[in-house]
Amino acid sequence: MKAEDLMTAPPVTVRPATTAFEAALVMEREAVGCVLVTDHGRLCGILTDRDLTVRVLAHGPHPAQPVAELMTTPVVTVAGDADLDTAYRSFRNTGVRRLPVLDGDRPVGMLTVDDLLRDVVERLLDLLIPVSRSALRESAA
């Protein structure tokens, strides 16, 4: 399975000149915890809800500050055609919770730790359901 098979697409993006306030509104509207900062379709950085808290609110409200001054760079990313082992290693080695998925240098989606967890649970259920049905049939006999 590839990163692109589990990613959420399209990614939620804002431009570098977008204000912190506007980015927060986008996050609220789209029900996401981060936005990708792009310029002409190319990834420049990532802005998370934590970035807004730590870099804006903790130092006094600066809602008009552009996201270009707040975003995290460089961004840890994964290629869309990368296998999930690569994504797992990236999460494990960097401690990030979100990986923008790229096609070349253009973001095409977002892969989160939650996406991987959901996949693990679904795979586990796929294994356990037939086993539990078999066990139930055997105990009924």
Side-chain angles (χ1 to χ4, degrees):
M1 188 174 285
K2 306 281 186 204
E4 60 196 8
D5 297 327
L6 290 182
M7 71 181 186
T8 300
V12 180
T13 63
V14 297
R15 307 227 353 133
T18 302
T19 66
F21 179 75
E22 292 166 333
L25 290 176
V26 169
M27 288 182 195
E28 178 187 33
R29 183 182 69 236
E30 299 295 328
V32 296
C34 74
V35 291
L36 299 181
V37 181
T38 60
D39 191 22
H40 296 93
R42 289 187 165 65
L43 184 63
C44 301
I46 187 169
L47 183 75
T48 67
D49 47 8
R50 182 168 171 20
D51 293 333
L52 288 173
T53 301
V54 172
R55 296 178 184 161
V56 178
L57 293 177
H59 300 285
H62 301 288
Q65 194 169 4
V67 297
E69 296 174 8
L70 305 166
M71 66 187 182
T72 298
T73 61
V75 183
V76 179
T77 64
V78 66
D81 60 355
D83 59 53
L84 286 183
D85 286 341
T86 301
Y88 274 99
R89 274 192 306 278
S90 292
F91 282 119
R92 187 172 48 251
N93 294 338
T94 64
V96 298
R97 295 179 25 220
R98 302 167 177 104
L99 287 175
V101 179
L102 302 182
D103 180 7
D105 61 354
R106 297 189 178 274
V108 293
M110 183 68 73
L111 184 66
T112 68
V113 170
D114 291 348
D115 295 328
L116 296 182
L117 182 59
R118 189 173 26 263
D119 181 59
V120 167
V121 169
E122 287 174 3
R123 288 173 187 255
L124 186 58
L125 286 174
D126 286 346
L127 292 173
L128 291 177
I129 289 173
V131 170
S132 63
R133 284 185 184 147
S134 174
L136 287 173
R137 280 193 295 268
E138 288 175 11
S139 68

